[in-house]
Amino acid sequence: MIDINIVREKPEIIKKSLKKRQMDPSVVDQLAGLDEKWRAVLTETEVLKAERNKVSKEISKTKDKTERNQKIAEMRVVGEKIAALDAKVKEIETSLNNLIAIIPNILDDSVPLGKDETENKVVRQVGEKPTYDFKPLPHWELGPNLGIIDFEQGVKITGSRFYVLSGAGAQLQRALIAWMLDLHRRQGYLEKYTPFMVKGQTLFASGQLPKFADNLYRDHEEDLWMVPTAEVPLTGIHMNDFLEYEKLPQRYTAYTPCFRREKMSAGRDVRGIKRGHQFDKVEMYIYSKPKESMLELEKMLSDAEQTCKELGLTHRVVQLCTGDMGFNSAISYDVEVWAPGCDEWLEVSSVSNVTGFQARRANIKYKDENGHKDFVHTLNGSGLGMPRTLISVMETYQQPDGSIRVPDVLKPWMGGVEIIDNEKK
């Protein structure tokens, strides 16, 4: 959530950011108008309450019955006005909060201008695209041929955009998750195992509600929602907490399945398992001192890249332009891996500095070395996301006979399996 003080004192900063995002900046004027109205009504209410308190003290000291009754009658009218104004304050406050909740984070000045994802900036590529003396197969052929991916079973069980991993395919995905969690622990993150369902309040705190309500799955009988990413419960861990300055930064990692309706991506990436309603992801999350959050962003990006490097995957880093930035983000980088069978780059991580945007919604504060209270900065990034990491591993390590060689770092989790051969045999 943006700081209301910026709306009051420097609204042009928010307007400039919204224009970069190709959004209507007039919402800032609407917000300023509501805020001015709210403060005016609140002031009027406080004046009347002060008057009532003053007269109430006078009433207790008034001995003349007629005079006392008159003051009581006058205060009854004042009380009715206060009740009406209190209701008006709450009404305006609700409208104010609803409006400010849909305004995205203010972009960092370093974010490159661009209309959409086609104008994102490639920062670097690490490794060359692998070459083969045979035509590499895409995973939607490779997996079924080996009997490790079954699309028909997924559709039979649930419907489109679901699939079943079998045998060494399921084992390979589990190995990736376990290895990545262990890697992030070595990188300095504390592993968390969090609920896969959260309250609506937690989703609001993380910036998912109300903006992305249509893209989430929920239990309509209770206020429980399936997590779209571990970022949500990792934000919720410290809702309404006061973090100790000396203990910042606090770095967490967690695995969760993720559930998204994917309404905003209808028709995209429909082949194979690139995009589904359910997928697994290992998340990195950092609570940082504001003045150190950009350094923490560099660390998180480096940690995501190390994951790709140790897996032996060709990857590149892409800085998102203004027209492709997420709602919460002030600055973001995507990490993409090369999938030789699909013949395309696949995003496996988006690393973002969210500044104080989530912390303000979640009321997560700290006290600096001078005793000043402020909101912490939060950062998040996939480390990495499935199934695209799985896709790249399968397609990168495929052999001429259609088998898949297991990357060295994953072998300890594969129970002695070094080559994934035909599970149908």
Side-chain angles (χ1 to χ4, degrees), residues 83-307:
L85 286 171
D86 277 340
K88 189 67 174 176
V89 167
K90 289 181 180 178
E91 179 186 338
I92 299 171
E93 191 172 42
T94 298
S95 298
L96 185 66
N97 289 337
N98 288 343
L99 188 58
I100 201 170
I102 63 172
I103 296 178
N105 200 358
I106 297 171
L107 296 174
D108 188 82
D109 289 338
S110 65
V111 177
L113 287 172
K115 64 178 186 299
D116 55 33
E117 62 185 13
T118 63
E119 297 187 11
N120 290 340
K121 178 183 176 183
V122 177
V123 177
R124 59 180 168 271
Q125 178 178 319
V126 179
E128 298 296 325
K129 294 179 182 178
T131 57
Y132 303 86
D133 56 7
F134 61 93
K135 181 175 175 54
L137 295 177
H139 68 280
W140 57 79
E141 294 181 21
L142 190 62
N145 289 349
L146 291 171
I148 61 174
I149 300 179
D150 196 310
F151 297 105
E152 289 75 16
Q153 287 180 350
V155 172
K156 180 168 65 174
I157 296 169
T158 310
S160 62
R161 295 207 181 189
F162 290 90
Y163 54 90
V164 171
L165 295 177
S166 183
Q171 195 174 359
L172 182 61
Q173 172 140 311
R174 176 164 51 86
L176 280 163
I177 293 167
W179 170 76
M180 289 190 293
L181 286 170
D182 282 354
L183 173 61
H184 297 323
R185 285 176 53 232
R186 294 194 298 272
Q187 291 169 334
Y189 298 81
L190 176 66
E191 184 177 350
K192 296 283 187 177
Y193 178 82
T194 63
F196 299 161
M197 300 186 78
V198 295
K199 299 182 294 186
Q201 179 188 1
T202 309
L203 281 159
F204 176 84
S206 63
Q208 297 290 323
L209 287 180
K211 173 96 174 155
F212 302 109
D214 288 346
N215 208 39
L216 303 173
Y217 289 102
R218 69 175 299 188
D219 178 349
H220 286 277
E221 292 186 6
E222 299 182 55
D223 181 31
L224 290 175
W225 303 65
M226 305 301 291
V227 298
T229 166
E231 173 192 341
V232 174
L234 290 176
T235 303
I237 281 176
H238 288 303
M239 279 193 304
N240 301 312
D241 282 354
F242 204 90
L243 303 183
E244 294 182 40
Y245 178 81
E246 295 76 14
K247 292 184 178 179
L248 293 173
Q250 292 190 25
R251 304 184 183 110
Y252 298 146
T253 185
Y255 153 76
T256 61
C258 305
F259 304 91
R260 300 180 189 177
R261 300 181 73 181
E262 295 290 359
K263 281 190 170 185
M264 293 175 290
S265 59
R268 295 179 60 187
D269 299 330
V270 294
R271 295 210 67 178
I273 61 174
K274 285 183 286 185
R275 189 183 295 273
H277 298 297
Q278 172 187 320
F279 58 95
D280 289 333
K281 182 155 68 77
V282 173
E283 188 78 2
M284 300 177 290
Y285 196 94
I286 298 176
Y287 291 90
S288 170
K289 300 169 187 174
K291 63 184 179 182
E292 296 176 358
S293 65
M294 282 303 186
L295 291 175
E296 291 298 318
L297 179 67
E298 292 178 15
K299 171 184 169 48
M300 185 177 282
L301 180 58
S302 174
D303 293 341
E305 285 193 85
Q306 184 182 349
T307 314

